[in-house]
Amino acid sequence: MEPRRQFYRLYKQYHSSDCISKYSSIARISYIRPSARTITDLRSRSEPRVFPSSGWENIEPSFLVEEENIPIYKPEKFYPVRIGEVFNHRYQVVGKLGYGSTATVWLCRDLLDHCYVALKVYISSTSVSQEIEIYNHLKTIQSDHAGQSCLQSLIETFQVRNPDGHRNHTCLVHPPLGISLDQLMPLLPGKVMSSSMVRTTMRNILAALDFLHTEAQVIHTDIQPNNILLGIKDTSILSRFEEAEVEGPVPRKSLSDRTIYVSRPLPISLGTPVLCDLGEGRLGVENQKGDIMPDIYRAPEVILNMKWDNKVDIWNVGMVIWDLFGHCHLFRARNDEGKLDDGQHLAEMQAVLERPPAEFLARSAKSPQFWDANGQWKGPVPIPDHDLETLEERLEDGEKEDFLRFLRRMLCWFPEERATAKELLFDPWLMHGLFK
């Protein structure tokens, strides 16, 4: 088979809907199911497992695989993890869960506690001291707040030396979680969530934020679908994940100094949604400064270089809800060349929120670039001719009115006018159907 066609066939085998079957009206990825005896044997194993040394599909060296596609990718900064490798004398890698610009994530078997963990191995140039500081801070809080269970926890951290002998990598060990909402969405009917699914998800995320804001005094700053993961209700999916790697190893590209693996997707786990990744978090909920948030989700005070507080998370939640419920982002925030553009972003905001109050604009030295002294728009692009009512096309009558009112409690120019996480938890739209 021609190499390019072979690569795409292999890639689709592990990432497309070709390997998806329907279960309870939600897509679930099929896996080889080990026998009950096999799972029992796995649970009792305390010695490293021997993984296959052959039997996988080889990817041509000329093709870019997974993290190699990242524009700023430098192979020497990534630790060359191998399936079967044991970290910190206890965590044996059984498969690749995913990757990003700063780390790769692996499912591991804890050989001491006979359970599974998720291992995040950072690139050598990334400092995670801020993230570790926040996790350590959270451990000191004595609380029975329900939102704690909706946050990803940290088991331990350690350093590993790169095989080249010149670099160290920080590793974070977490309890394993399922797929992200970003991975879930393409598997749903219409590739969007139903009202009930959005409600269930956001109750958990808002509970997590209420704990972070009120008891932990932490701002997340990076809420997005790929940072919200499903909990694992049936842990047997992890045993099946491991057995699938033994029975059918994932495709990989072998190089002289490393092997680049294709990630193996987990099946839908149907557990409680969990807010993850505190790498961009901030201790202290007021008077923060600096550029934060995923670009299309940025709050207006961030774009305009104002001081910000924990209400940026509330704006962020509104953005994510729209993404889960709609077929596109609320704001495109990009010019005709596809580049991030503050003027385009603010023009789209004004179309949805109407003209910002003069008192709000007075807080920013950057405002005169986009509005004149009378608060009239003078930005480089015209204000789009639409509003929330015309953009929202899925709901009808009363539910649409309630949903948009709920959304407007989060999407306000003035941060102090946005509802708190706790107030939003008791919003009528979010509570609808809760007590049936």
Side-chain angles (χ1 to χ4, degrees):
M1 180 182 292
E2 192 268 324
R4 183 180 297 274
R5 289 177 58 198
Q6 179 191 33
F7 171 70
Y8 283 112
R9 178 181 65 80
L10 294 171
Y11 196 81
K12 287 176 69 176
Q13 175 184 348
Y14 285 89
H15 288 274
S16 77
S17 58
D18 294 345
C19 63
I20 292 169
S21 59
K22 294 292 182 180
Y23 179 82
S24 299
S25 78
I26 299 179
R28 179 184 289 266
I29 296 173
S30 300
Y31 276 87
I32 300 168
R33 181 181 294 277
S35 67
R37 179 178 178 181
T38 302
I39 294 175
T40 301
D41 291 343
L42 288 172
R43 287 173 179 165
S44 63
R45 182 180 293 117
S46 57
E47 294 298 323
R49 184 173 195 174
V50 177
F51 282 83
S53 57
S54 62
W56 54 78
E57 299 278 1
N58 291 302
I59 298 172
E60 289 291 321
S62 59
F63 295 121
L64 299 180
V65 181
E66 304 232 320
E67 57 265 28
E68 292 181 305
N69 287 286
I70 298 169
I72 59 173
Y73 174 74
K74 294 184 178 180
E76 66 274 11
K77 290 188 175 183
F78 281 77
Y79 183 92
V81 179
R82 292 175 289 104
I83 290 177
E85 183 174 1
V86 177
F87 283 79
N88 209 30
H89 309 292
R90 68 183 295 180
Y91 303 116
Q92 185 181 26
V93 177
V94 301
K96 186 178 183 182
L97 293 172
Y99 67 95
S101 60
T102 60
T104 53
V105 184
W106 307 80
L107 183 68
C108 297
R109 171 170 289 281
D110 185 341
L111 301 174
L112 299 184
D113 288 345
H114 309 296
C115 63
Y116 289 100
V117 298
L119 176 69
K120 192 172 186 178
V121 184
Y122 280 90
I123 63 175
S124 58
S125 59
T126 297
S127 172
V128 295
S129 56
Q130 178 175 275
E131 182 174 5
I132 294 172
E133 180 186 7
I134 291 177
Y135 276 118
N136 289 337
H137 168 67
L138 294 178
K139 287 180 180 179
T140 67
I141 299 173
Q142 301 295 319
S143 171
D144 58 358
H145 195 293
Q148 280 185 295
S149 64
C150 302
L151 279 172
Q152 184 181 39
S153 60
L154 178 69
I155 296 173
E156 72 161 327
T157 67
F158 59 89
Q159 297 278 320
V160 63
R161 191 73 167 167
N162 193 290
D164 66 11
H166 298 127
R167 299 172 178 84
N168 288 324
H169 301 261
T170 300
C171 299
L172 271 58
V173 183
H174 299 280
L177 291 168
I179 63 173
S180 68
L181 298 191
D182 202 40
Q183 296 169 309
L184 173 66
M185 296 295 285
L187 310 181
L188 299 174
K191 299 184 179 181
V192 291
M193 283 190 173
S194 64
S195 297
S196 60
M197 291 181 72
V198 173
R199 290 185 181 104
T200 300
T201 300
M202 298 321 300
R203 287 179 196 129
N204 287 281
I205 301 312
L206 287 168
L209 284 181
D210 184 49
F211 168 74
L212 286 178
H213 293 173
T214 62
E215 301 204 13
Q217 302 292 295
V218 168
I219 312 175
H220 190 283
T221 83
D222 192 23
I223 303 166
Q224 51 183 312
N226 61 357
N227 283 339
I228 301 173
L229 274 57
L230 298 181
I232 295 178
K233 192 173 183 180
D234 178 6
T235 56
S236 71
I237 67 171
L238 303 176
S239 296
R240 298 203 300 274
F241 181 99
E242 180 177 350
E243 285 303 288
E245 181 57 37
V246 173
E247 298 292 335
V250 293
R252 62 202 63 182
K253 181 168 78 171
S254 299
L255 303 173
S256 60
D257 63 338
R258 67 191 59 241
T259 299
I260 309 295
Y261 298 89
V262 172
S263 299
R264 183 184 295 278
L266 281 166
I268 292 178
S269 50
L270 304 178
T272 301
V274 176
L275 181 60
C276 301
D277 198 344
L278 289 166
E280 299 298 326
R282 299 289 191 275
L283 281 171
V285 293
E286 296 180 349
N287 295 319
Q288 299 279 350
K289 297 180 69 176
D291 190 24
I292 54 164
M293 309 178 75
D295 50 21
I296 58 169
Y297 293 158
R298 289 179 302 159
E301 63 268 29
V302 174
I303 298 174
L304 292 169
N305 297 335
M306 301 176 184
K307 291 182 179 180
W308 45 267
D309 58 21
N310 60 6
K311 292 299 182 70
V312 295
D313 283 344
I314 302 302
W315 175 277
N316 213 161
V317 168
M319 294 288 99
V320 170
I321 289 174
W322 187 272
D323 276 7
L324 300 181
F325 201 62
H327 292 277
C328 61
H329 300 305
L330 182 57
F331 303 128
R332 192 166 65 94
R334 278 166 170 72
N335 58 28
D336 293 338
E337 298 176 354
K339 296 180 179 179
L340 185 67
D341 188 304
D342 290 345
Q344 179 71 38
H345 203 166
L346 293 167
E348 291 175 311
M349 284 185 183
Q350 179 158 325
V352 168
L353 305 181
E354 299 184 345
R355 193 167 73 181
E359 296 87 347
F360 175 78
L361 297 179
R363 298 178 180 180
S364 170
K366 191 176 177 179
S367 294
Q369 296 180 33
F370 306 102
W371 291 273
D372 65 22
N374 297 316
Q376 295 292 329
W377 177 256
K378 66 170 189 177
V381 296
I383 303 296
D385 185 22
H386 60 233
D387 54 24
L388 273 182
E389 281 77 7
T390 56
L391 290 174
E392 205 302 298
E393 299 176 338
R394 292 186 62 193
L395 300 176
E396 297 179 358
D397 305 328
E399 186 179 2
K400 177 173 181 173
E401 182 180 343
D402 286 347
F403 172 71
L404 294 182
R405 180 192 46 75
F406 173 60
L407 209 60
R408 287 192 176 98
R409 298 184 69 189
M410 294 171 269
L411 305 184
C412 309
W413 289 108
F414 282 116
E416 59 267 30
E417 291 182 358
R418 295 171 204 155
T420 65
K422 182 175 290 185
E423 289 169 341
L424 291 169
L425 277 168
F426 293 98
D427 185 89
W429 186 83
L430 199 67
M431 294 183 70
H432 179 77
L434 190 59
F435 301 108
K436 287 185 177 180

